[in-house]
Amino acid sequence: MVYIVGAGPGAADLITVRGSRLLGEADVVIYAGSLVNPELLSWTKEGARLYDSAVMTLEEVAEVIREAEEAGCVTVRLHTGDPSLYGAIREQMDRLDEMGISYEICPGVSSFSGAAAALQMEYTLPGISQSVVITRMAGRTPVPEQESIRALAAHQATMVVFLSAGMLSRLSEELILGGYGPDTPAAIVYKATWPEERVFFCSVGTLAETAALNGISKTALIVVGDTVAQKGYQRSKLYHPAFTTGFRRGTEEDIRLEAAERKEEKRPGRMYVVGIGPGRLDQMTDQARLALAKSQVIAGYTVYVELVREHFPEKEFLTTAMTREEERCRLALECCMEGRDTAMVCSGDAGVYGMAGLLLELSEEYPGVEIQVVPGVTAACAGAAILGAPLMHDFAVISLSDRLTPLETIWSRIDHAAQAELVICLYNPVSKGRPDYLREACRRIMEYRSPDTVCGLASRIGRKGESTRIVTLRELADEPADMFTTVYIGNSSTRRIGSWMVTPRGYR
């Protein structure tokens, strides 16, 4: 029989009672010599055979177990911490299954629990964080892309990072790119629960510096998140005098006071201004999907909300029609003032003809609402990708909608962009009220460019009915287009290469 035993984080007396008993009964002990406290080996019985797995391969470990089993011996495979975390036990159990050898797992105290004890902290503080992410940096062992540090950081939960003490500069960079601010509290715990345990409080931005100053390069856990500060949390309900449980009932006076406190303590929700990309879910960034997942309310122009509704059916939705942008933004900000995290969805990028600017302008009227702008793939880039590479050189993006911009200003911008030899990307080229604006734009541009200039149209990018067309500037004036079409007008070097529209940058 084989027992896979967790030795605990370091201190010998943190092995479980069961683990201690099994260790004392074992005939053969295979221990992780580079990590397990050697004091534990003195607890083995006289005559027990000891093997240090730090110098062994999986095949050699399996062979020792096979020989012990044939001899009728009890084997303990002694791992550090809890064997189910980074213990590589699955491959060992598969070998045991192949050999027909029975085994049991005896859990242990993980080093992430030992680190919390060393920091004298609670990982899950009400109002701060209710989740703990246990992960590691990608090194010689890869990490799935969706579980990268950057992707997980978007959750803003408490994070405990294993096996990464030698990569702290890159860890800081990935944490910051994922959403943690450089000043987010962090801690380094070296050899948690061992006699030589050391603890260093710092920030996400100073992890590498702190480790270097103190000579830490391995055998350390990194803890990140606002919980590290152990401040600003809400009182737990479990022990609140106003909270009724199956064992006691809160008094009416305490219930009334607790309701008043809750009303006073209610914080505004966060406003996410989310660029959802062209339309397809797989063209939305992970950060955008996480923002929508964390929000209680999803707001936006009706057409854009319908693009995400089926993916987040449990959310509350708030929509208004076109031309009611300020009303929509105010309604969303009021949801935040009620304490609900809210996402304002925008097609493409929220900062390119989206709602980011208006929400930031209005935010002064809604104190306490934190606004986070989440970028997305704008139509200019998404359309360029399906046309080929029309934007490889300098370009201008201009909207032909004169609802918010005077028409004379639009024509001035068209004239100057055409004269400057910029590739021109046109948004909102045609509507029922503006049927001739694209034709007029083409006429103006032909004053500076050849009628044979290569142009492209991308329609319904990332949505059902997506299509592209490559035409000349002369032909473009009469091409059908609408508000869901993005138009690309090349410069003098833009050319058609097969089915692609390409503006060379001159690499050759």
Side-chain angles (χ1 to χ4, degrees), residues 18-191:
R18 181 190 299 179
S20 176
R21 175 178 59 79
L22 292 172
L23 184 62
E25 296 172 355
D27 304 299
V28 174
V29 176
I30 307 171
Y31 64 98
S34 60
L35 298 168
V36 168
N37 190 332
E39 183 183 338
L40 289 169
L41 302 179
S42 66
W43 299 5
T44 58
K45 68 183 182 182
E46 187 176 349
R49 299 197 302 277
L50 308 180
Y51 297 85
D52 181 357
S53 65
V55 296
M56 300 169 70
T57 65
L58 172 61
E59 289 73 14
E60 289 169 336
V61 169
E63 181 60 21
V64 169
I65 293 174
R66 185 189 63 77
E67 292 175 355
E69 190 70 14
E70 289 178 352
C73 297
V74 172
T75 300
V76 161
R77 180 68 173 100
L78 191 62
H79 282 267
T80 186
D82 181 272
S84 66
L85 284 175
Y86 306 112
I89 63 171
R90 180 69 263 166
E91 58 191 35
Q92 297 177 65
M93 293 187 291
D94 287 343
R95 289 299 178 100
L96 295 175
D97 289 335
E98 291 169 6
M99 294 187 292
I101 297 174
S102 299
Y103 55 87
E104 291 181 8
I105 299 173
C106 175
V109 177
S110 172
S111 57
F112 88 90
S113 297
L119 294 169
Q120 296 187 335
M121 70 175 288
E122 179 182 347
Y123 283 133
T124 52
L125 286 176
I128 303 296
S129 176
Q130 288 294 290
S131 303
V132 183
V133 176
I134 297 172
T135 189
R136 58 183 292 276
M137 283 282 285
R140 286 188 294 179
T141 300
V143 169
E145 182 60 33
Q146 67 272 22
E147 294 181 18
S148 68
I149 293 290
R150 188 183 306 189
L152 294 174
H155 291 283
Q156 299 292 287
T158 305
M159 187 178 289
V160 182
V161 187
F162 281 66
L163 306 170
S164 305
M167 301 179 279
L168 294 186
S169 293
R170 191 152 61 91
L171 174 62
S172 288
E173 180 181 346
E174 290 298 302
L175 289 168
I176 292 168
L177 288 171
Y180 287 107
D183 295 329
T184 301
I188 301 172
V189 183
Y190 173 75
K191 300 200 77 168

Side-chain angles (χ1 to χ4, degrees), residues 410-481:
I410 294 173
W411 295 139
S412 175
R413 290 171 180 170
I414 290 287
D415 292 341
H416 283 86
Q419 188 175 8
E421 186 58 0
L422 296 170
V423 173
I424 301 172
C425 180
L426 297 178
Y427 282 41
N428 309 314
V430 175
S431 71
K432 291 180 180 179
R434 300 179 286 103
D436 299 320
Y437 283 18
L438 178 58
R439 183 177 292 108
E440 174 62 14
C442 291
R443 184 192 69 76
R444 288 173 174 269
I445 295 169
M446 278 191 282
E447 293 181 10
Y448 304 96
R449 299 189 189 178
S450 166
D452 295 323
T453 298
V454 176
C455 299
L457 300 94
S459 299
R460 298 192 168 274
I461 305 163
R463 308 179 196 181
K464 185 177 181 180
E466 176 183 274
S467 65
T468 61
R469 305 188 295 284
I470 298 178
V471 298
T472 66
L473 180 54
R474 181 190 298 107
E475 294 168 335
L476 177 62
D478 296 314
E479 279 291 311

Side-chain angles (χ1 to χ4, degrees), residues 168-381:
L168 294 186
S169 293
R170 191 152 61 91
L171 174 62
S172 288
E173 180 181 346
E174 290 298 302
L175 289 168
I176 292 168
L177 288 171
Y180 287 107
D183 295 329
T184 301
I188 301 172
V189 183
Y190 173 75
K191 300 200 77 168
T193 79
W194 288 74
E196 55 267 47
E197 170 189 283
R198 289 194 290 167
V199 170
F200 307 98
F201 289 95
C202 56
S203 67
V204 165
T206 60
L207 278 168
E209 177 186 354
T210 303
L213 286 172
N214 294 282
I216 306 299
S217 60
K218 60 181 179 179
T219 327
L221 285 185
I222 313 303
V223 184
V224 173
D226 289 333
T227 50
V228 174
Q230 297 286 283
K231 296 178 181 177
Y233 62 91
Q234 299 170 4
R235 179 174 175 173
S236 73
K237 298 290 186 274
L238 183 59
Y239 300 109
H240 198 290
F243 192 70
T244 298
T245 72
F247 301 94
R248 60 179 173 78
R249 178 170 177 76
T251 66
E252 294 300 322
E253 177 63 15
D254 285 324
I255 291 172
R256 184 185 64 78
L257 290 172
E258 196 268 342
E261 288 174 4
R262 189 167 61 247
K263 184 175 181 180
E264 290 177 4
E265 292 175 357
K266 184 163 62 177
R267 302 176 183 177
R270 176 178 290 185
M271 169 62 72
Y272 298 99
V273 198
V274 182
I276 61 172
R280 292 206 318 254
L281 183 66
D282 62 356
Q283 291 181 321
M284 192 186 304
T285 67
D286 287 340
Q287 187 181 10
R289 285 198 293 267
L290 287 169
L292 296 180
K294 290 192 285 188
S295 299
Q296 285 81 54
V297 180
I298 295 178
Y301 170 43
T302 306
V303 173
Y304 303 152
V305 167
E306 290 306 314
L307 295 174
V308 302
R309 187 188 293 269
E310 66 175 303
H311 305 297
F312 301 93
E314 75 285 359
K315 305 297 182 182
E316 177 183 341
F317 294 94
L318 188 163
T319 63
T320 65
M322 188 71 77
T323 76
R324 295 170 58 187
E325 287 81 6
E326 182 173 346
E327 176 189 355
R328 185 189 315 148
C329 289
R330 289 190 180 278
L331 289 171
L333 287 164
E334 286 168 9
C335 289
C336 292
M337 293 301 289
E338 294 169 1
R340 292 180 290 173
D341 289 343
T342 301
M344 175 66 74
V345 295
C346 306
S347 178
D349 182 90
V352 180
Y353 304 119
M355 293 294 102
L358 180 54
L359 280 165
L360 290 169
E361 288 180 54
L362 296 173
S363 63
E364 291 181 338
E365 301 176 35
Y366 299 85
V369 175
E370 180 184 347
I371 295 181
Q372 180 178 342
V373 180
V374 180
V377 179
T378 188
C381 297

